[in-house]
Amino acid sequence: MTTTLVLGGVRSGKSRHAEALLSKAGDVTYVAPGVTTPDEAEAEWERRDKAQLTQRNESWSTVESVDISAVIQQAPGAVLVDCLGAWLTRLLDELGGWDDPVGIEGWLAKARADLQSALNKVDRDVVLISSEVGLGVDPTTPAGRIFRNELGVLNAEVGAACDQVHLVVAGRVLDLSQFPMAGG
């Protein structure tokens, strides 16, 4: 069983690559941890998610849950989480972390530790998708900096817990798994 983190920029092909990694897995639980509140701002995401659903294998099931650690542990087969950035956004929304990042540091650290623990114990293939951060302009808003910083920490910690780390750039896949970790 393999755990893989797939990183990349927006529309880089990371979801397509992640799905291809599990194309022969049979039963796959697709975890959508993002915001589920239907409003005007989410209409585009909903259309995009529905389009992606029609492209997936019919044996795949979809679970909308912020508790991705539990889904990873309880799923009957392989798991695909799309994406950690949406999960972090939902956690920050639910905890009021956009205004008080210091007040939720402990809670976010626990959520990351729970995810790492689930990945370390899993006995099935798990693929997690996340956006790579910090390659562009520094965010000009406090909320943007909070998101960038927290997603960077999350990606590094999940990458450390995974067997493989792939970076997708312009539709090309770079396997980073053999490279040493920073500080190591």
Side-chain angles (χ1 to χ4, degrees):
M1 303 303 147
T2 304
T3 54
T4 305
L5 174 62
V6 177
L7 297 167
V10 174
R11 308 302 285 171
S12 63
K14 62 187 180 291
S15 292
R16 189 172 54 250
H17 173 62
E19 291 173 7
L21 291 173
L22 296 174
S23 64
K24 294 181 170 71
D27 291 334
V28 175
T29 301
Y30 175 91
V31 185
V35 179
T36 58
T37 319
D39 64 12
E40 189 72 29
E42 298 304 318
E44 178 186 349
W45 287 105
E46 189 174 323
R47 282 191 302 277
R48 196 166 137 190
D49 284 345
K50 284 183 181 177
Q52 285 181 339
L53 277 171
T54 62
Q55 298 169 2
R56 291 189 196 116
N57 189 312
E58 291 178 6
S59 68
W60 290 25
S61 61
T62 300
V63 174
E64 291 184 3
S65 176
V66 73
D67 193 356
I68 59 177
S69 299
V71 176
I72 288 170
Q73 293 174 20
Q74 298 166 6
V79 177
L80 175 69
V81 178
D82 193 359
C83 85
L84 294 179
W87 179 62
L88 176 61
T89 298
R90 189 160 171 198
L91 293 178
L92 287 167
D93 284 346
E94 290 180 1
L95 299 169
W98 300 108
D99 299 320
D100 184 18
V102 175
I104 63 162
E105 281 179 355
W107 202 96
L108 288 176
K110 181 181 179 330
R112 290 191 311 267
D114 289 348
L115 178 55
Q116 286 178 295
S117 177
L119 292 171
N120 290 329
K121 295 176 189 173
V122 73
D123 62 353
R124 64 191 56 84
D125 289 333
V126 177
V127 177
L128 304 108
I129 300 169
S130 189
S131 294
E132 182 53 57
V133 296
L135 298 176
V137 177
D138 284 333
T140 59
T141 65
R145 288 188 294 277
I146 290 166
F147 180 79
R148 179 211 45 208
N149 294 344
E150 291 297 334
L151 189 58
V153 170
L154 176 62
N155 286 346
E157 290 184 5
V158 170
C162 285
D163 302 315
Q164 298 181 358
V165 177
H166 297 176
L167 175 64
V168 182
V169 179
R172 302 289 179 131
V173 180
L174 301 169
D175 186 346
L176 304 176
S177 307
Q178 73 272 13
F179 295 108
M181 297 194 40

